[in-house]
């Protein structure tokens, strides 16, 4: 009985990242220290991912941070349709919102 509910559970996780890359190695004159400064700035991104027992159910990457409007967009456009499809494949009944 516990596994029946566990297989239907979905976990939602959020993480943030930036796309800039900085060199960690380089060349300098013998006896001098390598100095490097990155002048490029990158935009932050937020990834929201819904994971279930069988793998990733839905994911989306947003520019900048996650706010209520973007959260609702993720739930309504990605997560709920994915859960409805998954439920139909398993033979479950889902009422439309």
């Amino acid at each position: 009985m516990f596994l029946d509910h566990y297989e239907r559970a979905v976990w939602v996780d959020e993480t943030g990242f930036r796309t800039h890359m900085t060199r960690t190695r380089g060349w300098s004159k013998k006896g001098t220290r390598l100095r490097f400064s990155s002048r490029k700035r990158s935009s932050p991104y937020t990834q929201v991912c819904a994971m279930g027992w069988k793998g990733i159910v839905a994911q989306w990457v947003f520019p900048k941070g996650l706010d209520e409007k973007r959260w609702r967009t993720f739930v309504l456009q990605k997560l709920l349709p994915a859960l409805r499809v998954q439920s139909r494949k398993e033979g479950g009944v889902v009422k439309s919102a």
Side-chain angles (χ1 to χ4, degrees):
M1 182 171 166
F2 174 73
L3 287 179
D4 291 339
H5 297 291
Y6 193 68
E7 289 178 355
R8 293 175 40 192
V10 175
W11 294 267
V12 178
D13 192 18
E14 168 196 7
T15 186
F17 62 93
R18 292 181 175 264
T19 56
H20 71 283
M21 303 282 277
T22 304
R23 288 180 176 244
T24 57
R25 298 185 179 148
W27 295 92
S28 67
K29 293 182 181 180
K30 187 174 181 178
T32 61
R33 181 177 221 156
L34 174 67
R35 302 212 183 257
F36 178 78
S37 64
S38 176
R39 292 189 177 100
K40 294 182 180 180
R41 295 191 183 255
S42 65
S43 300
Y45 291 94
T46 300
Q47 178 181 10
V48 182
C49 184
M51 298 159 282
W53 179 259
K54 297 180 181 177
I56 295 175
V57 176
Q59 68 175 356
W60 210 347
V61 177
F62 295 100
K64 300 187 181 178
L66 185 65
D67 57 3
E68 184 180 355
K69 182 179 177 183
R70 290 180 176 156
W71 170 252
R72 287 179 186 266
T73 303
F74 169 73
V75 170
L76 294 175
Q77 292 185 11
K78 293 288 186 173
L79 184 58
L80 289 179
L83 293 176
R84 287 186 183 121
V85 168
Q86 184 179 10
S87 180
R88 285 186 192 125
K89 286 181 181 177
E90 294 172 357
V93 177
V94 177
K95 294 181 181 178
S96 61

